[in-house]
Amino acid sequence: MPRRSVDVEPLVEAMKHAAAALRDAEIRFALTGGLACWARGGPATDHDVDFLVKPEDAQRAHDALATAGMRPEDPPEDWLLKAYHEDTLVDLIFCPAGGEVTDELLDRAEEREVMAMRLPVASLEDVLTTKLLALTEQEPNYGSVLEIARTLREQIRWDEVRDKTGDSPFAKAFFTLIEELGILPENARQAA
């Protein structure tokens, strides 16, 4: 099945603009979500730009994006703030599925060059863990996590993801699915 063509340019532009604003405001952050995976050779995304920030920095980060000319939005959700760079959504996530953003989580981010800009990029294990823990009965869509697993499987420390998501029935089903599909590397399979 051919992969769809995705124009990541608007997301990259929004990412650079927001990352520069956060850096100028001296706010710790890490790129996460689909762009963090794409930066490591994963599937292209056209959804939005996601940054992790600590809860105590979230409002200041939101203000920094507004000062940089982005259009802030106060969403009804209590775990993130939003802003728009032109028509591209930027999420400032401070309490993703699995718990609040901490210094420890941000310390695990790796400084990487993403389209000629150096910035901290969340670990694949943290990205995948967050995505798996966000699956619910109302939104049980495995599409994006399967695509990430398939394209980046050799870069992921699977035992770490399994440990962090062990209480989630959706994560357990995901591991069964990727084992059955042959996506999970042989050395990462759990002894039965």
Side-chain angles (χ1 to χ4, degrees), residues 61-72 83:
H62 202 223
D63 295 343
L65 297 187
T67 299
M70 298 178 77
R71 190 174 73 252

Side-chain angles (χ1 to χ4, degrees), residues 102-191:
T102 62
D103 282 321
E104 180 184 46
L105 190 151
L106 294 175
D107 288 344
R108 288 192 298 268
E110 177 186 2
E111 191 80 14
R112 296 185 68 96
E113 188 170 309
V114 183
M115 298 300 287
M117 182 179 199
R118 290 201 65 78
L119 70 157
V121 179
S123 75
L124 285 174
E125 295 75 24
D126 286 330
V127 173
L128 199 52
T129 294
T130 299
K131 286 183 172 291
L132 286 171
L133 292 177
L135 295 173
T136 65
E137 289 181 32
Q138 292 75 30
E139 293 190 38
N141 186 346
Y142 286 94
S144 70
V145 290
L146 280 171
E147 194 170 15
I148 291 165
R150 187 177 43 78
T151 58
L152 299 174
R153 66 179 150 226
E154 298 300 330
Q155 297 179 50
I156 298 167
R157 290 186 304 270
W158 289 105
D159 56 335
E160 187 176 317
V161 176
R162 196 186 298 260
D163 287 345
K164 289 180 177 180
T165 62
D167 291 335
S168 165
F170 295 97
K172 289 175 186 175
F174 169 77
F175 275 98
T176 299
L177 183 60
I178 63 174
E179 284 182 29
E180 290 295 318
L181 292 173
I183 293 172
L184 190 65
E186 195 66 38
N187 63 352
R189 294 174 188 251
Q190 205 171 38

